[in-house]
């Protein structure tokens, strides 16, 4: 998979990709992530990418021309499955959407800022909009990093234990069961006996029951 992230604040997006699982996924050659500074595509002499809103009002609007030039340049090198604008009014990210995106080959994530982008970008240049939740961030950068993380970890070979993404919360519409590690007893707080029993079937059954119980208590709407 290849992901291009278009932003006016590259530093804000880069760090999640330079550590841990996302770094290793790139080192293994499973995914390439390219952060593009939109300013490179600015056409005016001050290299600005935003301007005042027609009709007045507070807040700057990101201009269409640098975004169009940037996307055209990227499209001249690759064919994209989706060109995604990060926006609080987009489709809400969930595990099903992350699964769907993990099957794509090439994606662009466009990060908005200020009052947003010129509406013509949304009408003509992008293929979908994604939100990471019903709250407004200062820009799309952190949201793009969240989407990329949720998607990349699902690609086969990224996680060392292939089953570990399958046992995530939400993967089967259930919350993951509790986990424990050594010591088996700490300050009198004990690990459930079944986990120390060595009985694989009983452990699986216990985990499944715990998942169901947790989901019933915390997110009953997932069980309907
Ligand atoms: N940009 C600003 N807020 C956002 C959100 N909640 N999701 C995606 N992009 C955003």
């Amino acid at each position: 998979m290849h992901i291009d992230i278009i932003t006016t604040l590259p530093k804000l997006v880069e760090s999640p990709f330079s550590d841990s699982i996302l770094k290793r996924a790139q080192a293994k050659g499973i995914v390439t992530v390219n952060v593009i500074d939109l300013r490179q595509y600015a056409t005016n002499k001050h290299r600005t990418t935003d301007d005042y809103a027609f009709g007045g009002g507070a807040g700057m609007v990101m201009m269409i021309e640098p975004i169009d030039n940037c996307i055209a340049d990227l499209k001249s090198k690759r064919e994209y499955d989706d060109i995604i604008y990060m926006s609080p009014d987009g489709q809400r990210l969930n595990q099903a959407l992350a699964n769907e995106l993990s099957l794509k080959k090439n994606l662009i994530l466009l990060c908005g800022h200020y009052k947003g982008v010129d509406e013509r970008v949304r009408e003509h240049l992008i293929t979908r909009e994604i939100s990471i939740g019903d709250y407004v961030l200062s820009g799309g950068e952190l949201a793009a990093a969240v989407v990329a993380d949720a998607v990349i970890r699902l690609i086969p070979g990224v996680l060392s234990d292939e089953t570990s993404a399958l046992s995530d919360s939400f993967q089967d519409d259930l919350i993951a069961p509790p986990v424990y590690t050594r010591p088996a007893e700490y300050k009198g707080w004990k690990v459930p006996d079944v986990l120390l029993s060595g009985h694989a079937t009983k452990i699986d059954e216990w985990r499944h029951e715990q998942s169901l119980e947790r989901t019933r208590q915390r997110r009953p709407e997932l069980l309907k």
Side-chain angles (χ1 to χ4, degrees), residues 101-153:
L101 293 175
S102 75
L103 302 173
K104 311 275 186 189
K105 202 159 162 269
N106 298 314
L107 296 174
I108 291 177
L109 303 179
L110 170 64
C111 307
H113 243 261
Y114 321 106
K115 272 280 152 204
V117 293
D118 186 308
E119 187 65 19
R120 291 166 291 184
V121 169
R122 301 169 78 166
E123 285 169 1
H124 302 290
L125 302 182
I126 61 155
T127 60
R128 70 199 292 175
E129 308 194 5
I130 293 179
S131 163
I132 63 161
D134 288 344
Y135 41 82
V136 179
L137 302 166
S138 318
E141 283 77 11
L142 299 179
V146 166
V147 168
D149 183 304
V151 168
I152 290 169
R153 63 193 299 288

Side-chain angles (χ1 to χ4, degrees), residues 8-196:
T8 52
L9 299 168
K11 275 197 282 201
L12 207 51
V13 208
E14 274 159 6
S15 74
F17 301 100
S18 49
D19 242 310
S20 188
I21 289 170
L22 299 185
K23 182 183 182 183
R24 249 182 295 132
Q26 293 172 89
K28 286 185 191 168
I30 298 169
V31 64
T32 46
V33 179
N34 184 24
V35 178
I36 298 142
D37 186 352
L38 185 62
R39 267 172 232 285
Q40 293 177 325
Y41 294 90
T43 49
N44 57 27
K45 70 170 192 275
H46 297 296
R47 299 224 149 236
T48 51
T49 54
D50 59 327
D51 208 338
Y52 296 99
F54 277 130
M60 303 291 274
V61 176
M62 286 173 70
M63 295 184 288
I64 188 168
E65 194 180 6
I67 296 172
D68 188 27
N69 290 342
C70 179
I71 291 175
D73 187 24
L74 296 175
K75 278 170 117 177
S76 72
K77 297 172 209 155
R78 283 193 175 79
E79 235 176 80
Y80 288 91
D81 299 288
D82 262 317
I83 301 174
I84 300 165
Y85 174 52
M86 302 311 307
S87 156
D89 38 84
Q91 179 185 359
R92 188 105 54 86
L93 179 68
N94 59 18
Q95 197 62 36
L97 179 53
N99 285 336
E100 181 194 331
L101 293 175
S102 75
L103 302 173
K104 311 275 186 189
K105 202 159 162 269
N106 298 314
L107 296 174
I108 291 177
L109 303 179
L110 170 64
C111 307
H113 243 261
Y114 321 106
K115 272 280 152 204
V117 293
D118 186 308
E119 187 65 19
R120 291 166 291 184
V121 169
R122 301 169 78 166
E123 285 169 1
H124 302 290
L125 302 182
I126 61 155
T127 60
R128 70 199 292 175
E129 308 194 5
I130 293 179
S131 163
I132 63 161
D134 288 344
Y135 41 82
V136 179
L137 302 166
S138 318
E141 283 77 11
L142 299 179
V146 166
V147 168
D149 183 304
V151 168
I152 290 169
R153 63 193 299 288
L154 294 172
I155 302 171
V158 169
L159 297 181
S160 40
D161 178 356
E162 288 255 5
T163 61
S164 98
L166 294 176
S167 57
D168 283 344
S169 281
F170 307 112
Q171 201 58 37
D172 49 7
D173 276 344
L174 291 178
I175 305 236
V179 293
Y180 300 85
T181 186
R182 285 183 288 187
E185 183 171 342
Y186 180 72
K187 292 186 175 175
W189 303 323
K190 290 186 177 156
V191 171
D193 286 337
V194 61
L195 295 177
L196 310 175

